[in-house]
Amino acid sequence: MRSLIVSTAVTLDGFAAGPGGNPLALNLDAAFDDHNLSLMREAGTILLGRTSFELFSSFWPMVADAPEDPSNPALSAVNREFSGRYRDIQKLVVSDRYEVPGDNPWRDTTTVVRGDAIRDLIEREKAAGDGSIVVFASGTLWNGLLADGLVDRMDLIVGPDAIGEGVPAFRRPVRLDPVEARILDGSRNTLLRYVP
């Protein structure tokens, strides 16, 4: 049985993005990238909301083959490997109206799923295939999945800064059991791992 794992960054005061949905308010450092690459290496499927899919597919496809630039942390070896794996892995996007544009580099590895079909699809995906099902970002999506009892593990990468306002990570009450807490190597971020 495959597991559905959510990986998301949050601020110390519980925001998943800054005001206006700005993800740059988060401490997205090299340790955060390392953590997500470790999840990507074990994944068989990536599950995303439409907004995250559009953002990620406008950035990640170009990283693997971009000219080397040691001064640009976005082009690190970790991010290049992450980009290459992202290109080839099965991606599921949850949306009732979205269609992947013909010029999107991930078009051939992406399937759009209606919201009312996601529970059945996840139950089928968990019972078949290899590797975990990973959700990156996609707060609206994973909050719904968590409420529906479909999330098996939450990896919260908690940054050291409180920003006072922004997009809350959790949109409804939830009870989770902690299974791990540690400072990420070479980072000011802490991994808090929970299971429902």
Side-chain angles (χ1 to χ4, degrees):
M1 182 71 95
R2 303 167 76 191
S3 294
L4 193 151
I5 300 168
V6 172
S7 178
T8 193
V10 297
T11 62
L12 186 60
D13 51 350
F15 294 105
N22 181 7
L24 298 180
L26 304 170
N27 190 33
L28 307 178
D29 64 3
F32 172 79
D33 295 340
D34 285 342
H35 176 75
N36 284 338
L37 177 58
S38 71
L39 293 177
M40 181 67 86
R41 286 175 176 158
E42 298 172 5
T45 304
I46 302 297
L47 179 63
L48 299 168
R50 179 194 55 80
T51 301
S52 293
F53 175 81
E54 288 183 321
L55 176 66
F56 295 162
S57 67
S58 70
F59 172 75
W60 283 112
M62 284 58 86
V63 172
D65 301 320
E68 289 195 30
D69 181 357
S71 67
N72 185 349
L75 301 179
S76 68
V78 166
N79 284 346
R80 287 177 183 279
E81 181 182 346
F82 187 84
S83 170
R85 289 177 181 270
Y86 226 150
R87 175 180 51 220
D88 299 328
I89 199 167
Q90 174 194 23
K91 289 166 280 291
L92 301 174
V93 177
V94 180
S95 176
D96 290 339
R97 294 180 293 280
Y98 183 68
E99 292 184 22
V100 181
D103 62 348
N104 186 294
W106 287 348
R107 181 176 176 81
D108 293 340
T109 57
T110 302
T111 302
V112 178
V113 182
R114 291 180 52 87
D116 61 7
I118 193 61
R119 173 179 273 284
D120 289 341
L121 177 69
I122 288 176
E123 289 174 354
R124 286 195 311 271
E125 286 286 328
K126 282 186 171 187
D130 297 314
S132 52
I133 303 164
V134 179
V135 181
F136 292 117
S138 306
T140 300
L141 172 63
W142 66 252
N143 270 274
L145 298 174
L146 192 58
D148 288 343
L150 296 170
V151 174
D152 298 298
R153 193 178 91 203
M154 294 280 312
D155 285 4
L156 302 180
I157 309 298
V158 182
D161 303 314
I163 61 174
E165 61 180 326
V167 179
F170 292 92
R171 318 288 164 80
R172 58 188 83 184
V174 64
R175 187 173 192 86
L176 301 171
D177 290 324
V179 293
E180 182 180 353
R182 64 181 168 88
I183 298 171
L184 296 177
D185 291 341
S187 177
R188 297 170 63 227
N189 285 334
T190 302
L191 168 64
L192 299 181
R193 183 166 281 166
Y194 296 90
V195 295

